[in-house]
Amino acid sequence: MSGPGRPRRVFVGGLAHETHTFAAVPTPVAAFRAYEWAEGSEIPAGYTGTRTSLGGVIDGAGEAGLSLAFGFYAFAIPSGLVPAPDFATLHDRLLASLREAGPLDGAVLVLHGAMVADGVPDAEGAILAAVRDALGPDRPLVATLDLHANVSARMAASADLLVGYDTYPHVDVYERGVEAARLMRRRLDAGSRPATAFASIPVLAVPQRQITTAGAMADLFARVHAIERDPAVLVVTLAGGFCYSDVPRAGMAAVVSTAGDAGLARRYARELQALAWSRRADFVARNLSPAEAIARVCDARPGTGPAVLVDVADNIGAGAPGDGTALLAEILRQGLREAAVVVADPEAVGAAFAAGVGGCFSGLVGGKTDRFHGDPVPVSGRVRLLGDGRFVYRGSYMTGQLREMGRTAVLDVAGNSLVLTERKTMPFDSEQLRSVGITPEHCRAIVVKSATAWRAAYEAMASAVLEVDAPGICTVHLDELPFRALTRPIYPLDPAEAIALPDVVLA
């Protein structure tokens, strides 16, 4: 604990990954190193001034008068299971950085909430429990979580406070980091642990239906914010869950923390559980076939902006490979022109670089990671641009973050722009296209391999939004996935009448 004249000193670090347990490509340590990896002074050097969760913690700590001890942080793009040895390496590195930080008054962790390692189905529960053991029972532990966290009772019990995102697309990650730092200061000043209630909600919600600007989630978060206006309430986290993780904790959840009033926390958690359950049907999606979606774009008069074709089943931000071909094949079959399509295919990138700018490309594109996202498509076109694939987010999501697509090629294919990248890259910022010479506002159509987060980049300019039922591991047909570990019964895999709402647990 802090001594006379010493400022409150708080550890900052974390591990973040959204794990699609049905994805073919595992997530080793190298995947974390390739995306976000920072230790010690690298954290303030890389994240100060960015609208990220870490950037928010840094700014919030400054406002709250906290001194930060920077540890280890790593984040990998969503993909398959983290192998057991790799998780042990990451977990141990985080704990070692905590032990090496010196005297501490508490810790703030930046987590995701849906990380799964081989043999560790509740990775965040394990991380939080280990950090709690290292801190001891009295020093506070606060963690930020993604809205798609699969929150467990162990997570809620190990942390003093869980601070989940309130938006999807996630445009409030910075604000939640600031909030976490402010709550840490309040917890340190109060000296006593909050009362926290955890309510599991037996609903598997597809990401497409978790948008927070309209519909069921907008209504639920309106109630969350009303509850947070109660002076006795410290924070409310409503997690939409991540439906592509086959783990017992998968599903929606509500976590309510108050300044010591356990009964109030329990009542609010139960209310949110019942409210979300009453809207369960709103979390089921039905989409257009690729043929119907492309036909609608072909038949429509060109609008004032692009039609956005949402390939939800190849959602890179949920662990899909980003090399699905159904929409590309249909665009070419129906003769649509002026579309922009991004496909992750390092083999095709190599062929494009061999052809050179102005050269002719002829080869198979996409469909190479697994058998679930369509067959490779034969493509012929001219190489228009070759580049290093580096760009910086300039929109409302994680502003200031550098992203790297790897070597990148742009092909002119039958009047369309086909962007080939070595690395799969989430379409969260229009700078992805602008950085390779494509003006998205001038496109007839844009294919986004995403469910909802693409809206931060393209919704404002879209003339139409067409959500497409293409093949892929992020399918909206959850009954097609071979769940084995998931807690059953759960909606919509099981009939609602067979499901009883779980008891609310005090953490």
Side-chain angles (χ1 to χ4, degrees), residues 57-394:
V57 173
I58 292 167
D59 286 353
E63 295 172 8
L66 300 175
S67 172
L68 296 182
F70 297 103
F72 171 66
Y73 173 74
F75 180 13
I77 195 168
S79 44
L81 281 169
V82 180
D86 296 81
F87 177 71
T89 296
L90 295 164
H91 175 278
D92 293 350
R93 197 158 192 157
L94 177 64
L95 267 292
S97 72
L98 178 71
R99 290 191 297 269
E100 294 162 2
L104 295 169
D105 296 292
V108 175
L109 299 183
V110 174
L111 306 174
H112 182 283
M115 184 178 187
V116 183
D118 189 16
V120 190
D122 184 4
E124 285 87 359
I127 292 165
L128 286 165
V131 173
R132 166 56 65 207
D133 288 344
L135 288 174
D138 299 324
R139 288 182 287 182
L141 172 57
V142 178
T144 65
L145 298 176
D146 193 283
L147 183 138
H148 298 119
N150 287 322
V151 184
S152 67
R154 187 185 191 191
M155 291 165 63
S158 297
D160 289 71
L161 296 163
L162 296 175
V163 184
Y165 302 165
D166 290 347
T167 61
Y168 184 41
H170 306 316
V171 296
D172 69 328
V173 298
Y174 171 85
E175 286 78 7
R176 300 290 73 76
V178 171
E179 182 180 12
R182 289 173 177 168
L183 286 168
M184 170 59 73
R185 180 75 220 199
R186 182 170 175 177
R187 165 68 178 85
L188 285 166
D189 290 344
S192 58
R193 195 166 180 184
T196 296
F198 167 76
S200 176
I201 304 166
V203 174
L204 280 183
V206 296
Q208 180 184 329
R209 289 290 178 260
Q210 293 188 39
I211 180 173
T212 56
T213 55
M217 286 300 268
D219 295 340
L220 287 168
F221 272 100
R223 184 57 190 146
V224 165
H225 297 147
I227 292 171
E228 287 184 321
R229 287 194 288 273
D230 185 329
V233 173
L234 298 175
V235 63
V236 177
T237 288
L238 176 66
F242 185 60
C243 63
Y244 303 117
S245 283
D246 186 18
V247 293
R249 62 186 168 123
M252 300 180 72
V255 185
V256 179
S257 295
T258 67
D261 191 333
L264 184 66
R266 188 196 294 269
R267 288 194 297 275
Y268 279 140
R270 170 64 78 179
E271 178 190 346
L272 289 171
Q273 180 192 56
L275 183 57
W277 178 249
S278 73
R279 301 296 297 272
R280 60 189 177 275
D282 294 326
F283 296 110
V284 178
R286 297 288 182 267
N287 295 331
L288 301 171
S289 71
E292 184 178 4
I294 300 304
R296 289 194 184 185
V297 179
C298 289
D299 292 343
R301 295 177 60 185
T304 56
V308 177
L309 297 160
V310 188
D311 189 354
V312 301
D314 195 21
N315 180 0
I316 296 171
D323 71 345
T325 58
L327 281 166
L328 173 61
E330 198 61 38
I331 286 169
L332 298 178
R333 189 184 74 81
Q334 295 195 34
L336 178 63
R337 299 176 66 85
E338 300 178 19
V341 184
V342 181
V343 176
D345 187 336
E347 181 181 71
V349 169
F353 269 76
V357 174
C360 294
F361 174 97
S362 182
L364 296 175
V365 169
K368 298 171 184 174
T369 302
D370 56 38
R371 67 184 189 279
F372 301 115
H373 298 84
D375 296 326
V377 173
V379 166
S380 296
R382 181 181 64 87
V383 180
R384 187 169 80 221
L385 179 146
L386 299 173
D388 63 8
R390 293 163 62 91
F391 68 96
V392 175
Y393 284 169
R394 303 194 186 282

Side-chain angles (χ1 to χ4, degrees), residues 17-23 79-81 114 242 244-245 318-320 473-474 481:
H17 188 247
E18 184 176 73
T19 306
H20 194 311
T21 61
F22 302 111
S79 44
L81 281 169
F242 185 60
Y244 303 117
S245 283
I473 59 172
C474 292
L481 298 174

